[in-house]
Amino acid sequence: MSVVLQEVLSRARELIGRSESEDCGVLGVKDFCRYAAALNDVDFIRTARAQEAAGEAVVAPALFLAGTLSWEDGPAEDGLRPDGLATRESPCTQGLAVRQVHGGQSVRLGRAPVAGTRVTATRTVTSADHRGGRSGEFVLLGVTTRFTSQDGAELMAVDETIVVLDVLDVLDGVADEHGDKRDERDEQRGAVA
C-alpha cells in the first residue's frame, strides 16, 4: 500500500465513531426553490411559492438535505482540490495527493423538513478499509451524515462510501495506457513520501 493511502487509512481509523456537527441554519422556501430550479422542477417552485403566499407550511423536496453538499457559501475555485471537492468535504485527506470518487449512497428519510426548521448535520466516519482491484489499491471510507431538527427529530440519514485513490497510482494507470515513463513517476512518489 502506498504511503499516502496508509496515511488516509491511519487518519480515518482515528476518527471512526467521532462525530462532527454543523449548524445548517434555518431552512427557507428560497433554498428549496433554488434546489428545485437546479433540478428543473418548475411545478415544485410554483406550488411552494403558492403555499408560502397562503401562509401554509412548505415541505422541502425529498432529497434536498442529501443533495446539498455544503451549507457555506463554498470555496473559491483555488480552494478546491483537484477532484473538485472542497477540503472540508474530504475527510481524512487534507494535504494529501489523492483523488476521491463517491462509491454509493444510501438515504433513509425521516420526518420531512419544513421551511423554518433549524437543521444540524452530524457527520461520522464509520469505517475505513484498504482494498485492491483491477485498477489498483484504494481506501474505502464509510461516512454517515444525520440531519436533525432543533427538537432532535431525525429528518434524514445518509450513508456514503467514498473511494480514495493515490493520485500517483491514478497517473500510473493513465500513463501505462499512453506509454509514458514510469521512472519519473517513481521519483515523484519518493518526493511525496
Side-chain angles (χ1 to χ4, degrees), residues 23-106:
D23 178 9
C24 303
V26 177
L27 303 180
V29 175
K30 184 176 186 177
D31 301 317
F32 299 167
C33 289
R34 284 183 173 170
Y35 175 81
L39 299 175
N40 199 28
D41 189 348
V42 178
D43 291 336
F44 176 88
I45 297 168
R46 284 189 196 121
T47 302
R49 291 299 185 186
Q51 288 172 327
E52 180 183 38
E56 299 172 6
V58 179
V59 176
L63 296 177
F64 171 77
L65 293 173
T68 304
L69 293 177
S70 177
W71 300 95
E72 297 179 349
D73 291 341
E77 190 172 342
D78 64 356
L80 295 174
R81 297 175 39 81
D83 53 18
L85 294 174
T87 301
R88 67 182 308 278
E89 301 296 333
S90 306
C92 314
T93 64
Q94 296 80 355
L96 299 176
V98 296
R99 182 167 300 270
Q100 298 178 77
V101 293
H102 283 272
Q105 185 178 72
S106 171

Side-chain angles (χ1 to χ4, degrees), residues 6 12 27 30 36 48 54 63 65 67 70 87 98 105 109 112 130-132 135 142 150 154 164 171 181 185:
Q6 285 176 348
L27 303 180
K30 184 176 186 177
L63 296 177
L65 293 173
S70 177
T87 301
V98 296
Q105 185 178 72
L109 299 175
H130 171 249
R131 300 280 176 90
S135 60
Q150 63 264 24
E154 186 169 287
V164 182
L171 293 175
K181 300 178 200 170
R185 287 186 308 283

Side-chain angles (χ1 to χ4, degrees), residues 18 21 23 32 37 47 75-76 90 96 112 114 119 126 136 141 156 161 191:
R18 292 190 201 169
S21 294
D23 178 9
F32 299 167
T47 302
S90 306
L96 299 176
V114 177
V119 174
T126 58
L141 298 177
M156 176 180 287
T161 301

Side-chain angles (χ1 to χ4, degrees), residues 107-131:
V107 176
R108 293 182 308 277
L109 299 175
R111 188 171 78 193
V114 177
T117 302
R118 177 170 291 280
V119 174
T120 300
T122 303
R123 189 175 197 189
T124 307
V125 175
T126 58
S127 64
D129 298 302
H130 171 249
R131 300 280 176 90

